[in-house]
Amino acid sequence: MRPSRLWTLAGTDSTVRAGAADCALGQETALSASPAKDRLQSIQLLRAFAALFVVVLHSYTRTLVAQPDPGPSISSLFALSGNAGVDLFFVISGYIMFHVHHDDFGKGRSGSFLLKRLIRIAPIYWILSTVALLVIVFVPSMFVVPRTLDPLWIAGSYLFFPVEYAPSLNTPLLQVGWTLNYEAYFYLVLAAFLFLPRRIAVAGITVLFVGSVAVGMVRPFDHPWPQMLTSWLLLEFLLGGFIALVQHASGDRFRTAHLAGLAVGLVLLAASFPMGRLDEDVTRFLFWGIPSVLIVNGVCRLRYNPKGWFGRAFVTLGDASYSIYLVQVFSLPAAALVLGRLGILTGAPIDVNVILLTVATALAGWLTWRIVERPTSLWLRQYVAAKQVGRPQALPTNHASDG
């Protein structure tokens, strides 16, 4: 296997597992030319795609506000399926968590696990949620959906639990933050089962998630809490975890089958585009969830080792994917306002506007990652490490395995 190739099939030696764990747990590790980093960078590419796919959806719908009848466009063929990027994120999250913490079951490290997860997802989310709260107070017209200052809803936004602030509306301060509620619940469940041996823990999580989905099928709920706890989306975390477990147990044997599955997943996902948006039910799981599982299963078995700036740029977008996903709440209306003032939003073809809005959001997300998310996360990791061992520790800048 030649390391000079841009794409190669990933190996499965212990270096892959150790490197991923070191990266995720905030330890310095030499991954510059390792299989672990190559494998993680392939996942980073997929994360970049997932984030930008969601942004394309919101760029398209934002443009439709200015052009209600835009006529035929390339964007209309796939943009309304952009929320499938969320399903990819959920499968990736399940894969990364089970991959990195494969050997932590039965060791009672739940507190440390939750602290690392909190440091990873909360700071930038809380910062941008506070910005959103200020916008609601001083510039409420910036949001398409009217907001009210319900204290319980605001508290739920910061504490990762859904609160209905209007009939059938339970998104948090950051509208896209509803996915963080699912992530937080998944982390809590995983933390609760880390005390148990792996086989028992996996069986318990499987029974919990499959059983809760079955309950939701028998008894549909209207309240946002039981809706989330019985959602089909939970199975995407579980199946992502299964990918990691199978990979640890059998390595990357049957590579041809895995790559064939990747191709099938891409075809199935593309075939769902004419369906547009899908609700959070079995239909979404079948048409977006299952293809996402096949895609992640194939991609995680590839190594991506870019040599030029162009290839590395996409890995960097993967690093910044979390910020890109969150900051779109602000960047899209701001960019749309600028394009509107320039006459582009209403005068240019819809595809041009979708591209401009998506690029603007990717740039805004990258800047947010460089200026806010990464420094804040690294400082908190260093602070916690210093508290734990009594001295500062060097921390990595790559968050590929952080989920």
Side-chain angles (χ1 to χ4, degrees):
M1 187 176 299
R2 295 179 298 173
S4 61
R5 291 178 59 184
L6 184 65
W7 281 97
T8 57
L9 289 168
T12 56
D13 57 32
S14 59
T15 306
V16 175
R17 296 192 293 271
D22 288 346
C23 208
L25 297 177
Q27 300 170 358
E28 188 65 45
T29 181
L31 291 175
S32 58
S34 70
K37 183 175 181 180
D38 293 349
R39 182 195 295 274
L40 293 175
Q41 289 188 150
S42 68
I43 291 293
Q44 289 302 81
L45 281 181
L46 191 57
R47 289 176 65 179
F49 168 78
L52 293 176
F53 199 16
V54 177
V55 172
V56 165
L57 162 65
H58 296 145
S59 298
Y60 180 73
T61 55
R62 174 70 58 172
T63 305
L64 287 181
V65 174
Q67 299 185 34
D69 187 20
S73 66
I74 297 176
S75 304
S76 64
L77 300 177
F78 63 89
L80 290 178
S81 296
N83 267 343
V86 170
D87 301 73
L88 281 169
F89 271 129
F90 285 174
V91 177
I92 291 171
S93 181
Y95 168 77
I96 290 296
M97 290 301 100
F98 276 76
H99 181 71
V100 170
H101 299 283
H102 179 269
D103 298 326
D104 289 340
F105 288 98
K107 298 179 180 179
R109 295 175 177 174
S110 299
S112 175
F113 168 78
L114 287 176
L115 179 60
K116 290 182 176 71
R117 293 296 89 212
L118 188 68
I119 291 174
R120 174 67 181 97
I121 69 172
I124 184 64
Y125 181 66
W126 286 343
I127 290 170
L128 294 179
S129 292
T130 302
V131 174
L133 180 59
L134 295 175
V135 169
I136 291 171
V137 174
F138 297 106
V139 197
S141 60
M142 185 173 177
F143 290 129
V144 175
V145 180
R147 304 288 182 176
T148 58
L149 296 179
D150 179 356
L152 182 60
W153 172 62
I154 294 173
S157 297
Y158 283 95
L159 298 177
F160 304 105
F161 67 85
V163 175
E164 190 173 67
Y165 63 89
S168 300
L169 295 176
N170 53 52
T171 53
L173 285 165
L174 286 180
Q175 295 95 318
V176 296
W178 67 270
T179 61
L180 274 296
N181 297 337
Y182 282 83
E183 288 279 356
Y185 175 59
F186 171 58
Y187 295 157
L188 286 174
V189 169
L190 186 56
F193 282 91
L194 277 178
F195 288 97
L196 300 174
R198 188 187 311 115
R199 289 187 178 181
I200 298 176
V202 171
I205 296 172
T206 301
V207 170
L208 175 61
F209 281 0
V210 173
S212 62
V213 170
V215 170
M217 293 179 65
V218 175
R219 167 67 167 85
F221 295 94
D222 295 325
H223 192 277
W225 255 111
Q227 279 183 347
M228 183 182 75
L229 299 181
T230 59
S231 172
W232 282 86
L233 295 176
L234 298 176
L235 299 185
E236 296 174 356
F237 293 103
L238 181 65
L239 292 177
F242 284 170
I243 294 172
L245 294 173
V246 170
Q247 197 172 45
H248 275 265
S250 61
D252 285 331
R253 293 194 294 270
F254 312 110
R255 290 174 175 175
T256 302
H258 293 310
L259 295 182
L262 169 61
V264 170
L266 291 171
V267 170
L268 291 176
L269 183 62
S272 73
F273 290 167
M275 302 176 68
R277 297 190 184 192
L278 299 177
D279 294 330
E280 297 168 29
D281 55 15
V282 64
T283 304
R284 176 170 181 161
F285 176 73
L286 292 175
F287 287 94
W288 289 352
I290 296 300
S292 295
V293 171
L294 293 172
I295 291 169
V296 173
N297 181 64
V299 169
C300 74
R301 298 168 194 281
L302 297 172
R303 293 185 199 166
Y304 179 66
N305 186 19
K307 298 301 181 182
W309 67 267
F310 185 77
R312 290 194 298 269
F314 284 96
V315 174
T316 300
L317 285 178
D319 294 338
S321 60
Y322 185 43
S323 285
I324 292 172
Y325 177 75
L326 294 179
V327 84
Q328 65 177 307
V329 173
F330 307 103
S331 61
L332 286 177
L337 179 63
V338 172
L339 294 179
R341 295 284 177 84
L342 296 174
I344 298 175
L345 194 63
T346 55
I350 191 169
D351 291 328
V352 172
N353 281 294
V354 169
I355 292 172
L356 292 176
L357 291 172
T358 301
V359 170
T361 296
L363 178 59
W366 175 78
L367 289 173
T368 302
W369 170 70
R370 285 292 299 242
I371 298 171
V372 183
E373 181 193 349
R374 186 171 67 166
T376 302
S377 179
L378 290 177
W379 182 86
L380 287 171
R381 287 168 182 247
Q382 192 168 27
Y383 177 80
V384 170
K387 286 291 185 180
Q388 291 175 341
V389 302
R391 60 183 178 83
Q393 293 184 1
L395 298 170
T397 58
N398 188 304
H399 299 299
S401 60
D402 280 359

